C-alpha cells in the first residue's frame, strides 16, 4: 500500500567533488530498488552536480529547505521554482535544526509546506519533541500540535501529497535512537491525527518516516513496525555503504 521511502539528509556536508563520489558509490551498489523509493537531499550547492548524476536512475533529488516565495528580494533564500528547475521533487521542511538554530516557527513552516505543494515539490514535514518534553510526558501533545499547526486549513488533497518525518530531537545525531516500539506508537498517533485532518483513507496512504540515529544495525527493526514507512537518515547517509545497507533494509513488507 505504502512504498517505503529511504531519504538521506546530507545537512551541511559534501563539496561538489565529495557529493559526486558519494552518488557514484550509491549508484554502483543500488541494484534493484523497484519496491522502495530512494532520495538524497544534498546541500543547495551540490544539487546541480547530483542532478546530473541521478537523472534517469531510481534516486530522486530533494533539497533541505525552501523559502515561501517564487522569487524576489530575499537575500540568501532559495525558491521552490529554483528547486524544481534543478530537478528536485522533494524538500525537507521544518527540520529541528531549522527550528532550533534558525528560529523557524510553525507559522513559517506551514507556509513552506504550502509553497512546496504549490510548486509540485513533495514536502517532508519534520516534527519531533525534545528530551525535556518527552521526560515530562508531553511528546505526543507536542508532535500532534506541530502536525496540526503545519497542516492547518489544508485540504485532504493537499495533505495527501505530504510526507511526515518523526524525528525526536534527542535522537538526532546522538546515537540514541527511539525504540521501535516508541517510534511505532508515535507514528500511529501521527497517522490518527492525519486521519482527523484528512480522513482515514488519505492518512493510510501517507508515508511517515522515522529519523534520528538510524543506522544499518537498527533499520530492519524500525522498518518492521507497521506505521514506519521509511527513514530520514542524517549521519549514516554520508557514506555509500551505510546508506545502501539502510536502503536495502530487510525484511520487505508486502
Ligand atoms: P541523524 O540525523 O541520522 O544523523 O541522527 C537525522 C536527521 O537529522 O534528519
Amino acid at each position: 500500500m505504502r512504498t517505503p521511502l529511504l531519504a538521506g539528509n546530507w545537512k551541511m556536508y559534501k563539496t561538489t567533488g565529495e557529493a559526486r563520489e558519494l552518488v557514484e558509490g550509491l549508484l554502483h551498489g543500488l541494484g534493484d530498488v523497484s519496491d522502495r523509493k530512494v532520495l538524497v537531499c544534498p546541500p543547495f550547492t551540490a544539487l546541480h552536480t547530483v542532478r546530473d548524476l541521478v537523472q534517469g536512475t531510481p534516486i530522486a533529488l530533494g533539497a533541505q529547505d525552501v523559502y515561501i516565495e517564487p522569487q524576489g528580494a530575499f537575500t540568501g533564500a532559495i525558491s521552490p521554482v529554483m528547486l524544481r528547475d534543478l530537478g528536485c521533487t522533494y524538500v525537507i521542511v521544518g527540520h529541528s535544526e531549522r527550528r532550533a538554530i534558525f528560529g523557524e516557527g510553525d507559522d513559517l513552516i506551514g507556509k513552506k509546506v504550502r509553497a512546496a505543494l504549490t510548486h509540485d515539490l513533495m514536502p517532508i514535514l519534520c516534527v519531533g519533541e525534545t528530551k525535556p518534553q518527552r521526560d515530562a510526558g508531553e511528546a505526543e501533545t507536542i508532535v500532534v500540535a506541530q502536525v496540526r499547526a503545519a497542516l492547518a486549513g489544508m485540504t485532504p488533497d493537499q495533505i495527501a501529497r505530504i510526507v511526515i518525518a518523526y524525528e525526536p530531537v534527542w535522537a538526532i545525531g546522538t546515537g540514541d535512537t527511539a525504540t521501535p516500539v516508541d517510534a511505532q506508537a508515535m507514528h500511529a498517533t501521527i497517522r490518527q491525527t492525519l486521519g482527523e485532518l484528512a480522513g482515514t483513507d488519505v492518512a493510510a496512504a501517507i508515508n511517515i518516516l522515522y529519523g534520528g540515529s538510524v543506522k544499518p544495525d537498527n533499520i530492519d527493526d524500525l522498518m518492521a513496525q507497521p506505521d514506519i514507512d521509511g527513514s530520514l537518515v542524517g549521519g549514516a547517509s554520508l557514506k555509500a555503504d551505510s546508506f545502501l545497507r539502510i536502503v536495502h533494509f530487510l525484511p520487505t513488507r508486502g
Side-chain angles (χ1 to χ4, degrees):
M1 182 178 53
R2 297 184 292 269
T3 305
L5 170 63
L6 293 310
N9 171 13
W10 294 4
K11 308 195 180 185
M12 199 175 72
Y13 293 98
K14 305 294 179 187
T15 61
T16 54
E18 292 163 349
R20 169 179 297 279
E21 198 180 322
L22 173 53
V23 173
E24 284 171 352
L26 293 176
L27 290 170
H28 182 72
L30 200 59
D32 176 18
V33 285
S34 49
D35 60 347
R36 57 201 72 193
K37 292 183 276 193
V38 184
L39 169 67
V40 293
C41 300
F44 292 128
T45 46
L47 285 173
H48 192 277
T49 299
V50 174
R51 190 267 306 264
D52 287 349
L53 292 166
V54 300
Q55 241 169 11
T57 78
I59 299 182
L61 187 64
Q64 298 172 19
D65 185 33
V66 66
Y67 192 57
I68 59 177
E69 299 290 346
Q71 61 178 17
F74 303 102
T75 300
I78 303 287
S79 89
V81 175
M82 294 166 178
L83 296 181
R84 287 290 313 181
D85 182 48
L86 278 169
C88 291
T89 50
Y90 290 83
V91 63
I92 298 169
V93 172
H95 190 280
S96 68
E97 287 149 18
R98 301 294 319 172
R99 293 178 192 256
I101 302 170
F102 300 98
E104 293 191 12
D106 284 326
D107 186 48
L108 177 62
I109 291 164
K111 287 180 178 153
K112 289 184 173 191
V113 170
R114 275 183 185 66
L117 289 175
T118 300
H119 296 281
D120 252 343
L121 289 161
M122 192 167 244
I124 301 177
L125 170 66
C126 300
V127 295
E129 82 285 358
T130 63
K131 187 71 177 156
Q133 288 165 340
R134 174 155 286 261
D135 290 345
E138 294 166 354
E140 298 212 345
T141 313
I142 295 287
V143 168
V144 167
Q146 288 172 341
V147 171
R148 285 188 171 277
L151 305 186
M154 290 182 41
T155 65
D157 280 357
Q158 288 175 309
I159 294 174
R161 292 189 287 131
I162 288 169
V163 174
I164 306 273
Y166 168 56
E167 299 205 304
V169 177
W170 48 269
I172 295 176
T174 58
D176 191 13
T177 194
T179 65
V181 170
D182 285 350
Q184 164 59 28
M186 187 64 85
H187 282 227
T189 299
I190 292 170
R191 200 176 305 284
Q192 189 190 325
T193 305
L194 294 170
E196 288 158 15
L197 294 170
T200 48
D201 287 355
V202 167
I206 292 178
N207 273 88
I208 306 178
L209 315 182
Y210 171 78
S213 296
V214 170
K215 306 285 179 218
D217 64 5
N218 58 28
I219 185 66
D220 297 344
D221 289 344
L222 288 162
M223 289 305 296
Q225 299 296 321
D227 285 294
I228 299 183
D229 310 314
S231 181
L232 184 57
V233 186
S237 74
L238 297 174
K239 290 209 166 106
D241 57 350
S242 58
F243 190 55
L244 283 170
R245 175 60 185 84
I246 288 167
V247 166
H248 295 143
F249 72 88
L250 303 162
T252 307
R253 280 189 297 159

